[in-house]
Amino acid sequence: MEKKLIWTIPVRLFHWLLFVFVSISLYTGFEGGITEMDYHMLSGYCVLTLILFRVIWGLIAKGSARFSHFLKSPGIIWRYIKGQEPKPIVGHNPLGALSVVAILMALLLQTSTGLFANDDIFLEGPLTHLVSYGTSRQLTAIHKNNMWLICFLVGLHLLAVLYYEIIKKDRLVLTMITGKKQLAAATGTNEQHQLLLGLVLIVICSASTYCLVTYL
């Protein structure tokens, strides 16, 4: 058994930065103070940038991070649930892939609606002026309710990680830190090339988010 690189630096940084900024967003969203909401908006911009990065990265990256690599058909998912999928899994398993997509979609919805949110007190999203007051209030309601869905998905994700860590002895956390996992056979990844591509992409996504909230 040889340790192979399955999560490159861009993916690992994305994962842990997303964990940090989603945690900040949830905490400040529940607290709701003036200072807290300033940080809430800043962390929201960071989450949006990361989500944009991950969506594009999932389309252009090579290896385990590519959507086409880990998104499986319903038949394969069902066989995996029944324990009839004997192939070794590199990266996300079929159920984990569904969790990834669900979290990404929920966060994209949350950050998108937050851009138009309005609490009728002191806080408005940077794009509130582009929609009517009624539409802004509807998007604000979605933003508030969707927060509970995110809490549920994150909690489910953490429980799954604990299950694999404690019951199945599959060191998912360590793998997401080092990027490497013991596999009988795997295709190596050029991490230097992936890192350079990731840096370029995150700069583009950051600039896109800045332009979105500043000039529209």
Side-chain angles (χ1 to χ4, degrees):
M1 298 281 284
E2 182 182 355
K3 284 191 174 183
K4 295 290 185 178
L5 181 69
I6 60 173
W7 299 125
T8 57
I9 290 178
V11 175
R12 280 139 51 199
L13 285 176
F14 160 81
H15 181 277
W16 294 114
L17 287 174
L18 189 67
F19 172 78
V20 170
F21 289 120
V22 168
S23 299
I24 293 173
S25 294
L26 289 174
Y27 171 77
T28 53
F30 280 118
E31 284 295 309
I34 296 178
T35 302
E36 285 82 357
M37 294 312 294
D38 287 338
Y39 287 115
H40 184 77
M41 293 184 69
L42 290 174
S43 63
Y45 298 154
C46 292
V47 171
L48 177 58
T49 300
L50 289 170
I51 296 302
L52 292 175
F53 164 81
R54 186 62 182 91
V55 170
I56 299 174
W57 192 253
L59 297 174
I60 68 173
K62 296 181 179 179
S64 305
R66 195 179 183 93
F67 291 141
S68 60
H69 176 89
F70 62 81
L71 292 179
K72 305 300 182 182
S73 67
I76 293 178
I77 295 173
W78 181 241
R79 288 198 298 271
Y80 175 79
I81 293 175
K82 295 192 296 182
Q84 298 174 353
E85 191 64 28
K87 295 180 181 179
I89 296 173
V90 180
H92 297 299
N93 64 53
L95 287 180
L98 294 180
S99 173
V100 169
V101 172
I103 291 175
L104 289 178
M105 291 179 64
L107 289 175
L108 182 59
L109 176 63
Q110 189 72 359
T111 52
S112 299
T113 54
L115 296 175
F116 303 92
N118 173 22
D119 66 357
D120 279 333
I121 303 175
F122 56 83
L123 188 67
E124 290 186 351
L127 304 185
T128 305
H129 63 282
L130 297 179
V131 298
S132 67
Y133 174 78
T135 300
S136 176
R137 294 305 299 158
Q138 290 177 339
L139 294 173
T140 301
I142 294 174
H143 187 76
K144 290 180 178 180
N145 293 328
N146 190 58
M147 178 172 62
W148 296 106
L149 175 60
I150 292 174
C151 290
F152 171 77
L153 291 174
V154 170
L156 193 64
H157 177 72
L158 293 176
L159 287 175
V161 170
L162 287 176
Y163 169 76
Y164 275 89
E165 287 279 347
I166 298 174
I167 305 300
K168 302 194 73 172
K169 307 300 181 182
D170 191 351
R171 305 307 181 195
L172 299 182
V173 176
L174 182 61
T175 301
M176 189 54 73
I177 293 174
T178 65
K180 295 183 178 180
K181 187 176 182 179
Q182 285 190 338
L183 297 170
T187 303
T189 303
N190 188 330
E191 186 162 33
Q192 289 74 24
H193 177 266
Q194 295 283 288
L195 176 58
L196 178 59
L197 181 60
L199 289 174
V200 172
L201 184 56
I202 196 64
V203 170
I204 294 174
C205 292
S206 299
S208 299
T209 301
Y210 177 78
C211 292
L212 179 68
V213 302
T214 304
Y215 297 111
L216 285 183

